[in-house]
Amino acid sequence: MDWATEILFSVAGHPVTLVEMLSVAFGFTCVILAAREKVANFWVGYFYNIFLFVLFLHSRLYFSAFLQPISFSIAAVGHYKWTHPTEERANRNKQLKISRLTLFQRMFIPVGVLSAAAVLGWAMQSAVDRWPGYFPPARYPYVDACVTVLFLAAAYLSAHKKLECWVLWMIADIIQIVLYLLSGLVFMPLVCFGYTTISAIGLASWRHKMKNQ
């Protein structure tokens, strides 16, 4: 996909590609629609996953790239769950109700995320060290793995319309801002800052809607 990674222009010496610009546009649209509890966010999100896969693979953020097919699959499941809820879990619009995690689930998530990130980071670093001919040196494998696990957890909670998904999105976005800057990406850190802001709005909006379901 040479057309996708073609440099359109540079900002402060950093190249900006077409696929990065497409990721910006589709990413903002997807998050805004999700914050408004619109099912259309899934359709936009499918294209967003494809663009991110190309972007991350080109930037050698392997876990973030491999996350996209998994995220695509989780989104497809969430798409179905949002639009085909059981009768007792349906809101007045016949969509899945917003709900919260239990106390045990909220306590388990940090432990699970950190443990999975440590294992995945070690696996990626080991693969790069063992087969250097197949993988160029990975950039920040443990941080990349942590962001990957956070996004997977957030996507899973979003698919089940759990309020806490927005908290995980915000944490992942903040970490990813640093990761993008270290990787030489220009626009994606700005996008992630926008995501963080919209996620805060989404959290407040979902909390209000949950009280009025």
Side-chain angles (χ1 to χ4, degrees):
M1 287 191 178
D2 292 338
W3 62 269
T5 55
E6 180 182 352
I7 298 174
L8 298 179
F9 54 89
S10 296
V11 177
H14 295 286
V16 179
T17 62
L18 174 61
V19 72
E20 189 172 354
M21 292 298 294
L22 289 171
S23 298
V24 169
F26 278 78
F28 266 124
T29 305
C30 180
V31 178
I32 290 171
L33 290 173
R36 297 181 62 189
E37 206 180 353
K38 300 294 184 181
V39 176
N41 85 86
F42 291 105
W43 295 111
V44 177
Y46 297 143
F47 288 98
Y48 182 48
N49 288 145
I50 295 171
F51 294 138
L52 284 183
F53 178 80
V54 176
L55 175 65
F56 291 141
L57 203 60
H58 181 69
S59 301
R60 290 185 290 152
L61 296 174
Y62 300 126
F63 272 124
S64 293
F66 297 152
L67 162 68
Q68 302 314 311
I70 301 173
S71 182
F72 190 103
S73 301
I74 293 175
V77 173
H79 195 168
Y80 180 84
K81 284 184 172 294
W82 275 41
T83 54
H84 296 78
T86 57
E87 185 174 347
E88 64 273 11
R89 298 200 64 188
N91 60 21
R92 66 188 66 180
N93 296 320
K94 296 184 179 180
Q95 293 184 18
L96 183 66
K97 286 182 179 179
I98 301 168
S99 59
R100 299 195 64 169
L101 296 173
T102 64
L103 177 61
F104 174 78
Q105 289 170 330
R106 289 197 294 269
M107 294 175 62
F108 172 79
I109 286 176
V111 177
V113 167
L114 291 175
S115 299
V119 172
L120 288 176
W122 173 83
M124 174 56 72
Q125 188 61 60
S126 297
V128 170
D129 292 341
R130 186 169 183 178
W131 299 293
Y134 291 94
F135 297 100
R139 289 174 171 167
Y140 318 105
Y142 288 96
V143 180
D144 192 11
C146 184
V147 171
T148 298
V149 176
L150 279 169
F151 275 126
L152 283 176
Y156 179 83
L157 295 184
S158 180
H160 291 79
K161 231 174 192 179
K162 297 295 182 181
L163 181 67
E164 291 81 0
C165 73
W166 292 109
V167 177
L168 294 189
W169 288 128
M170 286 188 283
I171 295 172
D173 285 333
I174 291 170
I175 296 175
Q176 200 161 45
I177 287 173
V178 178
L179 186 61
Y180 283 150
L181 290 173
L182 293 174
S183 300
L185 298 175
V186 179
F187 279 98
M188 292 308 290
L190 298 176
V191 173
C192 279
F193 179 79
Y195 289 165
T196 306
T197 303
I198 297 171
S199 293
I201 296 171
L203 177 63
S205 176
W206 278 29
R207 183 184 286 120
H208 175 74
K209 289 180 179 180
M210 186 174 66
K211 293 179 181 178
N212 294 285
Q213 289 179 142

